[in-house]
Amino acid sequence: MNYLIGIDLGTSATKTVLFDEECNVVASATVEYPMYQPENGWAEQDPADWKNAGLATIKEVLQKSGVSGEDVKGIGLSGQMHGLVMLDENNEVIRPSIIWCDQRTGAECEEITRKVGKERLIEITANPALTGFTASKILWVRNHEPENYARCRHILLPKDYLRFVLTGVYATEVSDASGMQLLDVPNRCWSDEVLEKLDIDKSLLAEVYESPEVTGTILPEIAEMTGLSTSTVVVGGAGDNAAAAVGTGVVEDGKAFTTIGTSGVVYAHSDKIAIDPKGRVHTFCCAVPGCWHVMGVTQAAGLSLKWFRDNFCRNYMEKAEKEGVDPYYLMDKDAEAVPAGSRRLFYLPYLMGERTPHLNPDCRGVFFGLNAIHGQPELIRAVMEGVSYSLTDCYDILCGMGVKPEEMMACGGGGTSALWRQMLADMFGCSVKTVASKEGPALGVAILAGVGAGLYPSVQEACRKFVKTAKTCGPIPENEEFYKKAHPLYQKLYADLEEDYRELAAL
């Protein structure tokens, strides 16, 4: 029997999953690690934590399963995107990695826009300059830590640092590289124009591969340490959302997924490149060779419900502990009894500012329409509906760009809620499905590894064979009609408050 490994290097933990060649889970292991915030708005991690977690979990899944390293034909890597790892001439990490949620680089984003030009930047990189992306982090180190920048010989993304540890190869792939703001996204290669205008030496960057391509094999010392074989191939892999797309079968036109995690994402596959000239959504190369994806982001999706639970639902948490159930299950149950529209109560989910469609770090959360009739169930449902309206904003932009999904998968913690899936179906006006596997990104990159190792003919064929649908819900006509009428009012609330948000930020 042949086996594959998918490694998902996340923000809170690295999870490694061993699959057999039919994509059944054989064993999994997870190691957590901290995030550091040395100043307000900063976010850093130690790449040594990723290295140790990756090696420990590989060793653990092989020991748990009793599978020989010789039978592991391929490894795929998924990872948190945008993080900056800098190595010196001895391949030592120079400074902690500045990761995706770090917000220190506002001035550098202005510098990028000024040097490249706003419209030209979107034409080449398919996105406006954003604090989360890697290019602004590189400039921040150059501007604020010139001695560290001068020592830098290699720039890698988080999962690609783990690849270097495993293979000794400096490599990345198109989906993760798209989030650096240095890639020519339409042509799937580094942009000489952007690099020249930003005065970044191209030799610092890794070679770019397609996601299923083989980038290297396991080093002898790593094989000895983990139990892997030196013949095990490591493929390009994918950034976390592109990996999740493969793991949910979103690899062909007409397919999309919605994730409700801490943040929320509406992600659609496209065989042709589509770029929003206003920069409201991200266009990246996807994990299917020669294809792209378009993605809208809601900053505080699951975070909104978690915030409400932690601050206003102590009674639900105590009851859940007594009954041995999840508090969200009880909250869902009560919210389900409330009619669509939460009895004329709206929630704007801007607890962390917003990405799509507003690109506004200063907007804030709002309850609108509060009345003495409203209790916890109405507020809970309003929070869920507010997040769903925001995700519908993302969905509508994708449709307006000609990337109209015919099939929507739901994943992430919020995707396990039947009520939340029903809201999405009602607002999107299409069926919403879940997949049988819960492994998402790890399964996605294991499939990519299987293609690279020659076990599967293509990403699409492997997904058709191994990604199975679990549950499906369609729109409820009367709810669909209500939300069509209510959504414009939700959108108008932001427009009415936009100037007030500016004044609030200036207080």
Side-chain angles (χ1 to χ4, degrees):
M1 173 74 83
N2 295 319
Y3 296 87
L4 299 164
I5 286 177
I7 303 175
D8 183 18
L9 192 159
T11 309
S12 58
T14 287
K15 182 178 185 181
T16 294
V17 185
L18 177 68
F19 298 89
D20 65 23
E21 62 185 305
E22 297 296 307
C23 290
N24 300 306
V25 174
V26 177
S28 70
T30 302
V31 170
E32 297 183 352
Y33 34 71
M35 178 178 77
Y36 303 98
Q37 294 184 276
E39 292 192 30
N40 187 18
W42 292 23
E44 298 182 347
Q45 288 188 308
D46 184 351
D49 289 339
W50 303 333
K51 172 184 175 179
N52 294 334
L55 296 176
T57 51
I58 292 169
K59 185 175 181 180
E60 186 176 341
V61 295
L62 291 178
Q63 288 180 341
K64 272 184 182 176
S65 64
V67 167
S68 166
E70 297 291 334
D71 295 327
V72 178
K73 301 305 176 186
I75 294 176
L77 302 169
S78 165
Q80 53 166 297
M81 297 178 68
H82 316 305
L84 172 63
V85 182
M86 306 178 88
L87 304 182
D88 66 16
E89 61 184 5
N90 299 314
N91 295 317
E92 297 295 328
V93 174
I94 292 171
R95 69 170 326 282
S97 174
I98 306 173
I99 65 169
W100 63 276
C101 51
D102 189 281
Q103 296 296 313
R104 76 184 73 176
T105 61
E108 283 71 28
C109 288
E110 292 175 11
E111 181 182 348
I112 290 169
T113 304
R114 187 174 66 253
K115 288 180 173 177
V116 181
K118 183 177 180 180
E119 290 181 4
R120 185 61 181 147
L121 186 67
I122 292 175
E123 285 173 5
I124 298 170
T125 71
N127 295 279
L130 294 172
T131 52
F133 288 2
T134 320
S136 62
K137 297 177 173 73
I138 296 169
L139 297 194
W140 186 91
V141 174
R142 185 168 71 194
N143 291 342
H144 295 268
E145 300 175 355
E147 69 288 353
N148 283 335
Y149 188 81
R151 291 171 57 206
C152 181
R153 296 295 176 270
H154 299 282
I155 290 171
L156 296 172
L157 294 162
K159 80 173 194 320
D160 300 325
Y161 175 66
L162 182 56
R163 178 199 321 281
F164 172 73
V165 169
L166 296 175
T167 66
V169 174
Y170 309 107
T172 189
E173 46 70 44
V174 290
S175 73
D176 215 356
S178 295
M180 292 184 74
Q181 201 127 52
L182 300 173
L183 195 78
D184 180 336
V185 171
N187 294 304
R188 308 171 84 86
C189 60
W190 296 125
S191 168
D192 290 330
E193 180 180 338
V194 172
L195 291 168
E196 185 179 332
K197 286 179 175 177
L198 299 183
D199 192 25
I200 295 173
D201 187 344
K202 190 176 181 179
S203 70
L204 298 176
L205 303 179
E207 188 174 346
V208 185
Y209 291 79
E210 290 291 339
S211 296
E213 279 190 284
V214 174
T215 60
T217 53
I218 300 299
L219 291 166
E221 58 269 31
I222 298 298
E224 190 175 338
M225 196 183 303
T226 60
L228 288 168
S229 164
T230 54
S231 62
T232 301
V233 302
V234 179
V235 300
D240 47 12
N241 283 302
V246 179
T248 52
V250 178
V251 294
E252 299 175 88
D253 269 359
K255 295 195 173 187
F257 73 78
T258 298
T259 298
I260 303 177
T262 302
S263 60
V265 167
V266 180
Y267 173 118
H269 177 94
S270 181
D271 288 348
K272 296 176 183 174
I273 189 161
I275 297 174
D276 176 28
K278 296 179 183 177
R280 295 167 298 174
V281 293
H282 304 313
T283 297
F284 290 162
C285 303
C286 75
V288 180
C291 299
W292 291 263
H293 70 255
V294 186
M295 182 176 82
V297 180
T298 293
Q299 289 281 79
L303 175 63
S304 285
L305 194 60
K306 182 181 186 299
W307 163 80
F308 191 80
R309 182 201 70 177
D310 292 349
N311 289 284
F312 306 108
C313 293
R314 176 60 52 192
N315 56 328
Y316 283 99
M317 295 170 80
E318 289 171 355
K319 186 179 178 186
E321 192 172 351
K322 284 178 188 172
E323 296 183 7
V325 296
D326 191 317
Y328 291 123
Y329 167 76
L330 299 177
M331 292 163 68
D332 257 24
K333 209 170 165 185
D334 281 0
E336 201 169 5
V338 177
S342 306
R343 298 193 171 96
R344 296 180 183 160
L345 179 63
F346 284 83
Y347 168 73
L348 306 186
Y350 308 139
L351 298 183
M352 304 293 289
E354 193 52 290
R355 293 266 285 276
T356 304
H358 306 304
L359 285 175
N360 184 353
D362 294 330
C363 59
R364 292 293 178 263
V366 172
F367 279 106
F368 174 77
L370 275 170
N371 185 283
I373 196 174
H374 297 135
Q376 281 178 303
E378 285 81 9
L379 281 115
I380 292 165
R381 184 174 184 115
V383 168
M384 297 172 79
E385 286 181 333
V387 170
S388 301
Y389 282 129
S390 179
L391 292 166
T392 304
D393 284 342
C394 301
Y395 178 85
D396 288 347
I397 292 171
L398 268 54
C399 292
M401 294 169 63
V403 185
K404 184 166 174 56
E406 296 160 11
E407 184 177 285
M408 180 66 69
M409 311 303 293
C411 48
T416 63
S417 163
L419 176 59
W420 227 334
R421 293 198 304 271
Q422 186 62 60
M423 286 178 188
L424 294 176
D426 294 340
M427 291 193 195
F428 293 170
C430 70
S431 64
V432 173
K433 305 177 181 182
T434 61
V435 290
S437 173
K438 304 299 180 193
E439 297 304 340
L443 173 60
V445 292
I447 287 173
L448 295 174
V451 175
L455 302 184
Y456 315 136
S458 70
V459 178
Q460 294 94 327
E461 288 183 58
C463 286
R464 287 182 210 126
K465 185 174 181 181
F466 299 121
V467 179
K468 307 297 183 188
T469 300
K471 298 173 183 174
T472 303
C473 68
I476 298 170
E478 56 267 34
N479 288 357
E480 187 177 1
E481 281 306 307
F482 174 84
Y483 288 131
K484 276 180 185 171
K485 287 187 288 187
H487 191 199
L489 177 54
Y490 166 87
Q491 293 172 312
K492 183 174 180 290
L493 291 172
Y494 173 83
D496 291 345
L497 289 168
E498 190 169 11
E499 181 57 38
D500 298 323
Y501 285 136
R502 271 193 286 272
E503 289 187 30
L504 180 65
L507 273 181

